[in-house]
């Protein structure tokens, strides 16, 4: 019996499974970033620059930390979270957590 081979195969299957799940998380984050960028460009104008500088996940909700620079204005730090319970796809908040009215 080759138990060593079985262990290596199990480890390989687990590694591939982890990579597939990690790739799915990256795709979700990039999709959420695209939605957040479009919402911010509608709110502040098409010339607005949006840079992501961090992410946080808690209980299935991913929050993106964004630096938003409207054209001709100073930069602002915002948060963009996905909200499954709301009709909106994303919720925009200021750095203190207060929801922005769009």
């Amino acid at each position: 019996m080759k138990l060593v081979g079985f262990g290596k195969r199990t480890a390989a299957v687990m590694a591939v499974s982890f990579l597939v799940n990690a790739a799915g998380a990256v795709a979700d984050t990039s999709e959420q970033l695209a939605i957040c960028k479009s919402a911010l460009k509608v709110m502040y104008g098409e010339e607005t620059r949006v840079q992501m500088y961090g992410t946080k996940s808690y209980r299935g909700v991913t929050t993106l930390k964004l630096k938003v620079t409207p054209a001709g204005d100073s930069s602002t730090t915002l948060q963009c979270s996905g909200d499954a319970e709301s009709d909106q796809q994303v919720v925009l908040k200021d750095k203190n957590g207060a929801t922005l009215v769009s």
Side-chain angles (χ1 to χ4, degrees):
M1 291 188 355
K2 293 186 177 184
L3 294 177
V4 175
F6 177 75
K8 287 182 181 179
R9 277 183 280 169
T10 303
V13 168
M14 289 175 62
V16 169
S17 174
F18 175 75
L19 290 174
V20 168
N21 288 336
V26 170
D28 292 340
T29 302
S30 63
E31 288 173 11
Q32 184 176 348
L33 178 60
I35 294 169
C36 293
K37 278 185 177 182
S38 65
L40 288 166
K41 288 187 182 223
V42 167
M43 185 181 290
Y44 292 110
E46 285 298 318
E47 298 297 317
T48 302
R49 291 183 49 206
V50 179
Q51 296 174 307
M52 183 178 75
Y53 68 90
T55 62
K56 177 176 75 172
S57 290
Y58 181 71
R59 293 189 178 187
V61 176
T62 302
T63 301
L64 306 180
K65 296 178 184 177
L66 306 171
K67 180 179 176 183
V68 180
T69 309
D73 208 356
S74 61
S75 65
T76 305
T77 301
L78 298 176
Q79 300 174 4
C80 183
S81 302
D83 190 1
E85 297 176 5
S86 175
D87 292 339
Q88 301 173 334
Q89 289 184 327
V90 293
V91 176
L92 299 172
K93 299 178 181 180
D94 66 6
K95 66 180 178 180
N96 297 321
T99 304
L100 298 177
V101 178
S102 58

